[in-house]
Amino acid sequence: MASLKALKIRIGSVKSTQKITKAMKMVAAAKLRRAQEAAVAGRPYAERLEAVVASLARNVGVGASPLMAGTGKDQVHMLVVATSERGLAGAFNTNIVRAARRKAEELEAAGKTVVFYLAGKKGRVLRRFYPKGIAVDRDLSEMKVAGFDHAKAIADDLIARFEAGEFDVAHLFYARFQSALVQEPVAQQIIPVAIPASAAPKLANSGDATVAYEPSEEAILADLLPRNVAIQIFRALLENAASEQGSRMTAMDNATRNAGDMIKRLSIQYNRARQAAITTELVEIISGAEAL
Amino acid sequence: MLHFELVTPERLVRSDEVYMVTVPGADGDFAVLEGHAPFMSTIRDGDVLVQKTQGGAPETIAIRGGFAEVNARGLTVLAEHTG
């Protein structure tokens, strides 16, 4: 049995670990609220933009822009993996990376070439599995709050690479925020733009056919499609920010509770050891007195 | 009344029933009243003028980048930045 002193030290160390995890949980909870609000506030724009792109696609046809129609090939796939900058967030990053790896394996099995675009430091574990497949490794550590400008920078970079012919299809990986307990990793095709099936049927009496475009359908499309890519990435960053905090909060809550259990167990062990020591001492005194 | 929505990627800035909105279109300003025909335009950087009531003093909102859509439900301005 461990000595009394060793047990005491052990209990002290678990207690201070518990203090840290508890503090992290509280910080995550406070940040979560803000991140969640931002994610919710960003949804209307993305939804409306999606609707506009869908209605344009119906009216103009898909042949108008490579961002909509694709390059005509399906060989090189770019996987944009959005992760967080920090760990200790439970399975948050692992889940996203796993989803990306699964997709990559699937594509490679089908004979496609896969390259990665890492947005966030925690995606770097992919280097181990695809040492040559990392096209871009973007550090987001300077990003305290997900801003549209960050998303736009990534989107501009991505579109420039697309136009340079580096890849044919781009997928975006992030974790959609559902609740503090549930964050669902999702894969989304962003280039060429995926027209949601729900938006495809024409609205009965919306009079879509008579929509006037200024300056022209093509000009609007040329403006809209890159914007749509940026918005999808922005949405991913926002959802990720909320998911990260939610995941961290849950993970730290579990850690705090585990530490509590451990302290309880160690305390019992400590008290037993102490009692055993006292009993031994008493036995020694009594048997000493009887011997006289 | 015209249903007017101003949205940026960060948030829904405005969702109101108003009388008239003047939007800085890429090919020139245009004003939207209730019952406007379906219309879509890119916008240039400039000010959106919102008039709550007929003849009322317009409220000015500076916007940057984006486009405007008019459909049966009203006017939606999707701007990259406001203010």
Side-chain angles (χ1 to χ4, degrees):
Chain A
M1 187 179 272
S3 76
L4 276 182
K5 182 143 196 243
L7 272 173
K8 206 167 193 176
I9 292 170
R10 188 81 202 286
I11 291 172
S13 107
V14 176
K15 265 189 183 152
S16 37
T17 307
Q18 189 189 31
K19 260 181 209 151
I20 293 170
T21 57
K22 201 169 192 175
M24 279 182 80
K25 178 193 147 193
M26 311 253 243
V27 171
K31 282 187 179 165
L32 169 66
R33 212 167 42 87
R34 233 171 305 145
Q36 197 178 344
E37 273 163 17
V40 170
R43 275 175 193 161
Y45 191 98
E47 278 161 14
R48 284 180 183 66
L49 193 64
E50 216 163 53
V52 171
V53 169
S55 87
L56 263 174
R58 281 200 304 275
N59 290 337
V60 184
V62 295
S65 160
L67 281 176
M68 197 172 244
T71 54
K73 283 182 296 175
D74 181 30
Q75 185 52 39
V76 185
H77 288 247
M78 177 77 94
L79 305 190
V80 184
V81 185
T83 55
S84 71
E85 284 296 309
R86 285 149 191 251
L88 287 179
F92 170 73
N93 289 307
T94 326
N95 283 342
I96 297 173
V97 168
R98 191 182 299 139
R101 275 187 68 197
R102 200 172 300 145
K103 183 80 179 172
E105 277 161 13
E106 209 175 281
L107 288 169
E108 281 186 334
K112 315 285 188 206
T113 315
V114 177
V115 280
F116 287 93
Y117 190 117
L118 306 181
K121 214 158 63 184
K122 288 291 164 185
R124 285 189 190 152
V125 288
L126 281 165
R127 260 184 208 292
R128 216 180 314 148
F129 308 106
Y130 301 93
K132 293 195 184 67
I134 312 290
V136 191
D137 183 353
R138 189 180 270 269
D139 205 326
L140 296 177
S141 53
E142 87 287 357
M143 180 180 85
K144 292 276 176 290
V145 181
F148 182 63
D149 296 334
H150 296 105
K152 196 161 167 27
I154 295 174
D156 288 347
D157 185 19
L158 199 62
I159 290 167
R161 283 166 194 278
F162 176 70
E163 277 163 358
E166 277 188 40
F167 62 92
D168 303 315
V169 183
H171 307 266
L172 176 63
F173 292 85
Y174 63 97
R176 180 172 296 145
F177 180 79
Q178 286 181 345
S179 73
L181 288 171
V182 184
Q183 301 87 29
E184 176 199 10
V186 286
Q188 184 190 0
Q189 184 178 318
I190 50 171
I191 299 175
V193 61
I195 305 296
S198 59
K202 243 184 200 295
L203 297 168
N205 56 355
S206 62
D208 267 354
T210 60
V211 177
Y213 294 96
E214 191 181 293
S216 68
E217 286 150 328
E218 287 73 23
I220 290 186
L221 215 51
D223 180 72
L224 206 61
L225 291 174
R227 200 182 295 275
N228 184 48
V229 174
I231 287 296
Q232 297 308 331
I233 292 174
F234 183 54
R235 185 188 349 196
L237 293 182
L238 286 178
E239 296 276 344
N240 249 3
S243 296
E244 180 195 351
Q245 299 305 338
S247 187
R248 175 166 298 129
M249 193 177 100
T250 316
M252 288 303 123
D253 187 44
N254 283 338
T256 308
R257 209 163 317 146
N258 286 346
D261 288 349
M262 199 176 224
I263 290 169
K264 216 180 272 168
R265 244 194 4 258
L266 286 172
S267 303
I268 289 172
Q269 211 179 330
Y270 174 78
N271 289 342
R272 279 211 188 117
R274 193 175 56 97
Q275 199 59 54
I278 292 170
T279 312
T280 324
E281 215 171 289
L282 276 177
V283 168
E284 273 165 10
I285 293 169
I286 292 166
S287 52
E290 271 174 5
L292 288 175
Chain B
M1 295 297 266
L2 169 76
H3 184 67
F4 166 62
E5 281 187 351
L6 176 59
V7 198
T8 68
E10 273 91 4
R11 65 202 175 93
L12 180 64
V13 179
R14 187 65 65 85
S15 177
D16 258 343
E17 302 296 324
V18 298
Y19 170 67
M20 181 173 90
V21 182
T22 309
V23 185
D27 284 356
D29 291 5
F30 59 90
V32 180
L33 285 162
E34 189 187 3
H36 195 287
F39 179 65
M40 198 181 283
S41 171
T42 52
I43 49 183
R44 60 184 159 75
D45 304 351
D47 294 335
V48 173
L49 303 179
V50 184
Q51 256 172 291
K52 283 237 177 205
T53 53
Q54 187 167 6
E59 179 193 355
T60 310
I61 306 169
I63 57 169
R64 206 139 45 80
F67 64 97
E69 189 201 13
V70 185
N71 57 27
R73 273 161 298 162
L75 165 70
T76 309
V77 177
L78 298 176
E80 215 158 274
H81 291 279
T82 61

